[in-house]
Amino acid sequence: MNEETQPSELISSVKLLIKESRARVAVAVNAEITMLYYQIGKRINDDVLRNDRAEYGKQVVKMLSIDLVSEYGSGWSEKLLRHCMHFASIFPDSSIVSALRRQLSWTHFKLLMYVEDQLKREFYIEICRLENWSSRQLDERIKSMLYERTAISKKPEETIANDLNLLRDKQKLNPDLVFRDPYFLDFLGLKDAYSEKDLETSIIVELQKFIIELGSDFAFMARQKRITIDQSDYFIDLLFYHRRLRCLVAIDLKMGAFEAAFKGQMELYLRFLEKYEQAEGENAPIGLILCSGKNKEHVELMQLDQSNIRVADYLTALPSQELLQDKLHKAVEIARQKVSFKAT
């Protein structure tokens, strides 16, 4: 190494030390602020509960805010104090907050505490930790109804809770927490008429956004992956690898609704990948067939889950939020009713 390069390396290394130190300080400060807000909320809640008067609660929050603002500044508004109170009521176990406060910021918690359904909230907590979402990404996922679009939401509540516990305690990830239906591909900018090739090309151009929609653990491997069987060539539209599931994921893009023949085609791809591409220690490959429509009875009768194949709709233009909510909530309810009926 010559002397001329040393000063620049020294500057880079010192800058890196400063950057890393600042990041650690920021995490520590955020963790302390989060715990402070939690303790304040709990203290106010305990005081209000002890006095058991709604009017007293309103007055005490108002008086406390006035005093804190005069002492510490405008940040200590009534609104913040009510956030603190709600925070403490939603997470009654302080050990949970203590365990999460270095991974999730106050802004994360402020979004999570207003997710009313407990299982849904726990889902967002665990996937947020797993994929290291920013608070902005968490907000986007909640607004896109990621939970309702994820396969796990269609399961009985006991199954959902069990899978989330396995993820939290043993880092064991069920594929039902990974795969979604439908997928939102509105970022592709496709017009009303387009071909499968147009769809594939647009995905490659917007690959980063596509992976964000798939999930951050997906790694792109190949487009039009060529496989040869008995002197016949076949092409897998898109091939990915999922880091935590430790398996290859073959994606087939289809125009129109699901057809029975799609299953045989995907099964062929998966068996080839299993025989020739699967590395030692990896799990069996998974197939994902993306269709612009889905014949639900076809999918149900063909028992695709037994072949490690999943079918999902994709939307290139989003419906209204109200229509989407209605559609997804109904889909979750119908799926759970079917599971309950089979169990009985």
Side-chain angles (χ1 to χ4, degrees):
M1 180 183 302
N2 61 57
E3 294 183 0
E4 292 181 358
T5 62
Q6 290 179 352
S8 117
E9 290 181 359
L10 174 62
I11 292 170
S12 296
S13 64
V14 169
K15 285 182 176 179
L16 180 60
L17 288 172
I18 293 171
K19 185 178 179 180
E20 290 174 344
S21 177
R22 284 180 172 176
R24 289 194 296 271
V25 169
V27 169
V29 168
N30 172 74
E32 199 59 40
I33 288 173
T34 298
M35 208 63 203
L36 172 63
Y37 288 164
Y38 179 81
Q39 290 167 343
I40 288 172
K42 190 174 187 308
R43 179 67 183 82
I44 298 172
N45 286 344
D46 289 346
D47 183 81
V48 172
L49 183 64
R50 185 168 58 249
N51 285 273
D52 195 27
R53 284 189 295 130
E55 191 57 37
Y56 171 81
K58 292 179 183 178
Q59 290 301 315
V60 77
V61 172
K62 183 176 181 179
M63 290 170 53
L64 179 58
S65 173
I66 291 171
D67 194 70
L68 292 177
V69 166
S70 67
E71 182 83 15
Y72 300 110
S74 60
W76 294 92
S77 63
E78 285 187 59
K79 185 176 181 180
L80 173 63
L81 295 181
R82 296 201 180 279
H83 282 320
C84 294
M85 294 168 68
H86 191 62
F87 184 26
S89 65
I90 289 296
F91 295 93
D93 186 350
S94 62
S95 65
I96 294 175
V97 177
S98 183
L100 292 172
R101 62 188 176 135
R102 288 188 173 274
Q103 297 167 288
L104 304 179
S105 69
W106 166 244
T107 311
H108 285 102
F109 278 114
K110 203 157 58 168
L111 291 167
L112 290 163
M113 67 174 121
Y114 291 104
V115 176
E116 294 182 4
D117 183 271
Q118 182 179 347
L119 280 177
K120 189 190 301 188
R121 186 167 60 248
E122 290 178 6
F123 165 85
Y124 283 117
I125 288 172
E126 295 308 318
I127 304 301
C128 185
R129 289 196 311 118
L130 184 73
E131 300 198 352
N132 196 28
W133 293 340
S134 66
S135 57
R136 180 179 177 180
Q137 289 171 319
L138 172 61
D139 188 35
E140 289 171 349
R141 303 304 191 275
I142 293 172
K143 287 177 178 176
S144 76
M145 302 187 70
L146 177 64
Y147 173 74
E148 287 83 357
R149 293 192 290 124
T150 305
I152 196 68
S153 69
K154 281 61 169 191
K155 304 289 184 177
E157 291 188 357
E158 184 178 349
T159 302
I160 300 172
N162 183 59
D163 284 345
L164 290 173
N165 289 337
L166 286 173
L167 176 58
R168 182 183 62 246
D169 300 334
K170 298 183 179 179
Q171 286 71 58
K172 184 176 180 182
L173 182 63
N174 187 319
D176 283 345
L177 290 166
V178 173
F179 291 95
R180 304 163 188 178
D181 182 24
Y183 286 88
F184 294 159
L185 307 184
D186 54 309
F187 53 83
L188 298 180
L190 292 167
K191 304 300 181 183
D192 293 338
Y194 57 88
S195 66
E196 289 176 7
K197 185 177 180 181
D198 293 333
L199 177 62
E200 181 187 315
T201 300
S202 297
I203 285 174
I204 297 301
V205 170
E206 297 289 355
L207 188 59
Q208 186 176 1
K209 292 181 180 178
F210 183 64
I211 290 176
I212 288 173
E213 173 61 6
L214 287 177
S216 62
D217 276 324
F218 281 87
F220 177 67
M221 295 190 67
R223 171 191 187 183
Q224 288 296 305
K225 167 74 174 175
R226 180 179 176 176
I227 62 176
T228 303
I229 303 171
D230 292 330
Q231 289 78 52
S232 295
D233 290 335
Y234 300 89
F235 296 89
I236 301 173
D237 289 339
L238 300 168
L239 185 64
F240 287 82
Y241 182 80
H242 194 280
R243 188 162 61 93
R244 283 188 173 83
L245 292 178
R246 292 188 295 114
C247 71
L248 293 166
V249 179
I251 298 181
D252 219 3
L253 306 171
K254 299 295 185 184
M255 300 293 293
F258 174 81
E259 298 178 11
F262 297 167
K263 177 188 179 183
Q265 184 181 26
M266 180 58 79
E267 282 182 328
L268 186 67
Y269 295 165
L270 296 183
R271 299 294 77 78
F272 180 93
L273 293 173
E274 190 172 16
K275 183 174 182 179
Y276 296 108
E277 300 285 344
Q278 184 176 325
E280 186 176 353
E282 289 182 356
N283 293 314
I286 294 174
L288 173 61
I289 303 173
L290 286 179
C291 304
S292 58
K294 193 166 62 175
N295 290 324
K296 294 182 179 179
E297 191 169 10
H298 273 71
V299 173
E300 184 178 335
L301 291 173
M302 298 193 76
Q303 299 180 322
L304 295 171
D305 54 330
Q306 296 179 16
S307 304
N308 232 17
I309 297 173
R310 295 168 182 271
V311 178
D313 289 338
Y314 63 84
L315 303 178
T316 57
L318 298 186
S320 69
Q321 190 69 19
E322 294 77 13
L323 182 61
L324 183 64
Q325 287 178 343
D326 184 59
K327 179 180 178 180
L328 291 179
H329 286 150
K330 284 181 179 177
V332 169
E333 186 60 32
I334 291 170
R336 288 191 185 177
Q337 286 176 359
K338 285 183 178 178
V339 171
S340 299
F341 179 76
K342 289 179 181 178
T344 58

